[in-house]
Amino acid sequence: AKVGGRSQIRFFDPSMTRDLTHRRKIETELRLALSRDELSVYFQPIVDLETGRIRCFEALVRWFHPTKGEIPPDQFIPIAEECGAIATLGNWLTGEAARTAAKWPDDIRLAVNLSPTQIKAPGAALGILRAIRDAGLAPERLELEITENLFLEDSPDIALFIADLSRAGVRFALDDFGIGYSSLGYINQWPFSKIKVDRSFVSGAQAGRKSDAIIRAVSQMGQTLGIEIVAEGLETIEQVEAVQSAGCTLGQGYHFSRAVPAYQAALLLAEDRAT
Ligand code: C2E
Ligand code: CA
Ligand code: CA
Ligand code: CA
């Protein structure tokens, strides 16, 4: 049976993550999860709003626990970051996702989320390049999604990491734009090829004229700087039309597709090519 609502997952209630013994339990379970094959990678399409065609898939990790059901990434990624398991998880996910993406047409990119702690690990850039090389995915087809949290501490490791990967052809996307400090300095300083506007600016009743104006301004900036703007969390055709008329060129959200397993991603691509 499919385990639905996130509220059902009491064991992983975020308020409990402060409890050390509880956290240890998740840590242990998480380390086991990799060896037990409980983790998988799902893929959510990022679509060209003009043509409706798929341009990219974002890899999103999924944990199907044998007794607790599906555990959302928001509840275990932060713990994996704290306990250091994120390095193992991230390396595994990058390899797994890249092996899938290597089978797609050459013009379809793969986007992978990176945690700040993952980047700080020694040899992180090399690890990523090795993982995609082994999988047969060209670096130009990889896009790493990072959030501005990464830049809060001005670490030289981060500059090196980004420089090394950019030189190899890997692209960077600024994720969850608009909800943090959103310093335009980050956009000025780092070579982003995409900015993903957080879903709070498109979804829900609170999204209105103000959100539209923000998306319009970001899109205009993107156009001037040659950075593509992605609207996240598009659930309805109205939202799609709103962000498109505000100048957004790419979109992602349940309106197009949820994150799906690899075989379904391949089907979506085949459908896309057939029309
Ligand atoms: P994110 O990177 O902002 O990913 C987008 C999240 O929004 C995903 O949730 C996706 O399923 C969800 N989403 C997409 N379209 C819609 C929509 O139309 N409506 C709504 N309500 N939601 C939508 P998910 O998969 O639960 O991931 C949550 C967060 O967990 C991600 O946010 C990312 O920060 C983190 N995460 C997920 N997978 C990974 C991973 O492999 N590595 C790392 N480091 N973080 C990950
Ligand atoms: Ca993301
Ligand atoms: Ca996001
Ligand atoms: Ca997020």
Side-chain angles (χ1 to χ4, degrees), residues 4-129:
R6 298 193 164 185
S7 55
Q8 290 173 16
I9 304 151
R10 279 285 142 257
F11 182 81
F12 289 93
D13 190 316
S15 67
M16 291 165 75
T17 57
R18 265 166 271 129
D19 176 347
L20 202 67
T21 52
H22 174 74
R23 220 169 49 196
R24 289 252 165 77
K25 219 155 140 190
I26 300 180
E27 274 179 43
T28 315
E29 296 245 8
L30 189 55
R31 289 186 198 281
L32 282 171
L34 272 167
S35 57
R36 283 181 185 154
D37 239 15
E38 291 168 18
L39 298 181
S40 31
V41 190
Y42 273 41
F43 300 90
Q44 188 179 32
I46 296 170
V47 172
D48 185 319
L49 293 174
E50 184 110 16
T51 63
R53 301 216 160 202
I54 296 170
R55 291 266 303 275
C56 177
F57 281 95
E58 178 177 1
L60 294 159
V61 67
R62 293 291 178 261
W63 184 0
F64 301 100
H65 191 283
T67 56
K68 289 161 195 107
E70 185 176 346
I71 301 159
D74 281 337
Q75 290 182 28
F76 66 87
I77 294 283
I79 293 170
E81 285 173 350
E82 273 179 56
C83 74
I86 193 71
T88 314
L89 194 155
N91 289 340
W92 167 81
L93 179 127
T94 306
E96 189 77 7
R99 275 189 292 280
T100 297
K103 297 179 204 142
W104 300 336
D106 282 347
D107 57 340
I108 307 292
R109 289 208 165 86
L110 169 71
V112 170
N113 292 286
L114 273 196
S115 296
T117 42
Q118 228 176 315
I119 293 173
K120 285 175 218 149
L126 262 180
I128 290 170
L129 290 174

Side-chain angles (χ1 to χ4, degrees), residues 174-225:
L174 183 56
D175 203 357
D176 298 349
F177 184 76
I179 56 169
Y181 294 88
S182 300
S183 159
L184 296 178
Y186 299 137
I187 294 169
N188 196 26
Q189 188 178 356
W190 305 102
F192 291 113
S193 57
K194 258 185 208 160
I195 293 171
K196 302 186 79 176
V197 179
D198 190 73
R199 117 179 117 79
S200 56
F201 290 94
V202 287
S203 64
Q206 76 276 31
R209 249 192 256 144
K210 269 193 188 170
S211 298
D212 274 0
I214 290 167
I215 291 187
R216 197 175 298 277
V218 174
S219 299
Q220 236 153 48
M221 178 187 71
Q223 211 167 26
T224 311
L225 299 177

Side-chain angles (χ1 to χ4, degrees), residues 126-143:
L126 262 180
I128 290 170
L129 290 174
R130 198 173 300 133
I132 61 167
R133 189 196 56 204
D134 291 350
L137 187 79
E140 291 75 17
R141 292 180 58 196
L142 181 68
E143 195 159 71

